[in-house]
Structure formats: structure tokens, C-alpha cells
């Protein structure tokens, strides 16, 4: 009787089985990847579904028109009591034209970088996003336009995110198609939360305790 396989041997056996139909000498990475999986699920209007998912994750959501955005930003920051906020260096000044909050711009390309202690001292961060997934209620940042670097939204306790209707897609495959795999990405599904061994929910451990979304239609 042969000895039982250890964990390593079992894993390697599964790898060999998966590669059994790959000709010898051929790089498995060159094999075509089937793309016949469902790319969209159409569980309802994308914007309505996104709002439903975000609220289920305990995020705060408000739908606004484009012209209402500056007032909505000002109202959100005032309601939060956010007197000093960190924003990407390229964040539109119009967003804050109705707000009395002090805006601290983080622009590494201009050698204006907010330190971790400065980010920790602000009352929140305001950014845009790269894409939002309705099906999963996920907002994705990739350090692109109006988003800033990852630390900008991971250190402050409050994140106000501007999501435009054209950035909302139905499912994850559609979102991935829009993203550059080279860029660092942050996938946000509601406020940061975790649970201990007794399933006690704790928020704000790995990122903002509060996520607020302004959905611009």
C-alpha cells in the first residue's frame, strides 16, 4: 500500500492533471483562454442596482445631477463636519466651489505629497473613481484621473467618492475590460469592515470607517 499523498503532492498532482492536454515544450501561458462565460447578468437597471448594493454594504449614497455636484459635496462635508479634506492633485476645483472646507491637494508629480500623519489628521478624503460595478456594489480606483494614490483613501476615516453614471457597468468582466492591469487598484465594497472569531463586526480597520457616494446622473 502506497503512503498517502501530502498537501504538496496533492497540489502538484492537480496541476499535472490540469496541464495533461498541453503539448510538451509548449508554454501553458500561450494557451487560449476561453471567454464564453457570462459577461453581464442584467439584474435590473445598473444605477438602481448599484445604489441597492452600496446601501446594503452600509455606504451612504445620494443621486445628483451634474449641476448639483458642488452643492452636494458641500452638504456632505458639512454634514460630516469635515473642515479639512485631502484630495487628488487633479481634483476639479468646481467640486469644492460651494464648500467652506480647507482642501489639501496631494500631487506627487509636483512634489506635493501629504505625509501619513497629515492624511491621518484630515477629516476625510474626496476622490473620483475609475469604474463602479452594479452587480457587486464595488467601486474601483486605479490611481487615474481624479483618484490620487492609494494612501489617500486608505488612511482617512471618511471617503467621499464621486461616481459618474458613465462609469457604472453591470458586472465584473465589463469592469476589468476598462482597467489597466499595470495600475495599482483598490476595490471598495462598502466601508472597511472585518469580523473577529466571534463574528463581531469592526469597521475602519483596513480603510475608511465611512464611505459616502455621490452618484452623478
Amino acid at each position: 500500500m502506497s503512503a498517502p499523498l501530502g498537501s504538496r503532492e496533492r497540489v502538484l498532482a492537480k496541476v499535472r492533471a490540469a496541464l495533461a492536454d498541453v503539448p510538451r515544450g509548449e508554454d501553458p501561458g500561450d494557451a487560449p483562454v476561453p471567454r464564453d462565460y457570462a459577461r453581464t447578468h442584467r439584474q435590473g437597471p445598473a444605477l438602481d442596482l448599484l445604489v441597492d448594493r452600496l446601501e446594503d454594504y452600509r455606504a451612504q449614497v445620494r443621486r445628483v445631477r451634474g449641476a448639483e455636484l458642488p452643492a452636494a459635496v458641500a452638504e456632505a462635508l458639512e454634514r460630516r463636519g469635515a473642515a479639512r479634506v485631502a484630495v487628488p492633485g487633479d481634483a476639479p476645483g468646481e467640486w469644492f466651489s460651494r464648500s467652506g472646507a480647507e482642501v489639501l491637494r496631494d500631487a506627487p508629480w509636483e512634489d506635493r505629497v501629504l505625509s501619513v500623519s497629515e492624511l491621518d489628521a484630515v477629516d476625510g478624503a474626496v476622490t473620483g473613481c475609475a469604474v463602479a460595478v452594479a452587480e457587486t456594489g464595488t467601486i474601483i480606483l486605479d490611481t487615474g484621473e481624479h483618484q490620487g494614490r492609494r494612501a489617500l483613501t486608505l488612511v482617512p476615516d471618511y471617503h467621499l467618492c464621486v461616481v459618474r453614471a458613465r462609469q457604472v457597468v453591470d458586472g465584473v468582466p465589463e469592469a476589468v475590460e476598462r482597467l489597466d492591469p499595470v495600475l495599482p487598484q483598490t476595490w471598495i465594497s462598502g466601508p472597511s469592515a472585518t469580523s473577529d472569531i466571534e463574528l463581531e463586526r469592526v469597521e475602519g480597520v483596513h480603510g475608511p470607517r465611512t464611505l459616502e457616494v455621490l452618484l452623478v446622473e
Side-chain angles (χ1 to χ4, degrees):
M1 180 182 294
S2 60
L5 295 176
S7 298
R8 180 175 182 275
E9 288 73 21
R10 287 198 300 270
V11 170
L12 291 176
K14 290 182 179 180
V15 171
R16 294 188 190 99
L19 298 177
D21 58 347
V22 177
R24 279 187 181 279
E26 182 176 319
D27 185 350
D30 295 333
V33 178
R35 300 293 184 185
D36 55 351
Y37 47 79
R39 308 184 71 79
T40 182
H41 300 283
R42 299 297 176 196
Q43 298 182 38
L47 298 187
D48 293 342
L49 184 60
L50 177 65
V51 171
D52 178 74
R53 294 291 193 267
L54 286 169
E55 290 180 340
D56 188 55
Y57 292 147
R58 303 187 186 181
Q60 303 169 21
V61 188
R62 180 180 173 187
R63 300 171 74 155
V64 301
R65 299 293 181 183
E68 300 170 337
L69 181 57
V73 170
E75 182 181 334
L77 295 181
E78 183 178 357
R79 185 173 62 251
R80 173 71 181 185
R84 299 173 74 246
V85 293
V87 307
D90 65 344
E94 181 187 5
W95 288 3
F96 312 100
S97 60
R98 301 283 296 275
S99 173
E102 179 183 359
V103 175
L104 305 179
R105 292 185 177 273
D106 183 72
W109 59 89
E110 297 178 2
D111 292 328
R112 287 188 295 149
V113 180
L114 299 176
S115 67
V116 173
S117 58
E118 287 175 313
L119 289 174
D120 191 45
V122 299
D123 299 312
V126 184
T127 75
C129 76
V131 64
V133 185
E135 182 183 16
T136 61
T138 303
I139 295 172
I140 305 171
L141 282 64
D142 65 1
T143 71
E145 185 180 47
H146 306 160
Q147 298 165 61
R149 57 195 175 103
R150 297 188 72 227
L152 191 64
T153 55
L154 293 179
V155 177
D157 199 46
Y158 169 69
H159 181 195
L160 177 63
C161 188
V162 176
V163 179
R164 299 191 179 277
R166 67 174 182 271
Q167 296 175 310
V168 179
V169 299
D170 187 63
V172 172
E174 296 169 277
V176 171
E177 285 182 343
R178 293 194 182 192
L179 297 169
D180 184 343
V182 175
L183 297 176
Q185 300 172 12
T186 304
W187 292 51
I188 305 166
S189 296
S192 168
T194 188
S195 297
D196 61 18
I197 195 171
E198 296 181 353
L199 302 183
E200 292 290 335
R201 180 183 172 97
V202 179
E203 298 180 345
V205 176
H206 308 295
R209 196 186 314 269
T210 304
L211 172 66
E212 185 165 1
V213 176
L214 295 178
L215 180 57
V216 185
E217 302 184 64

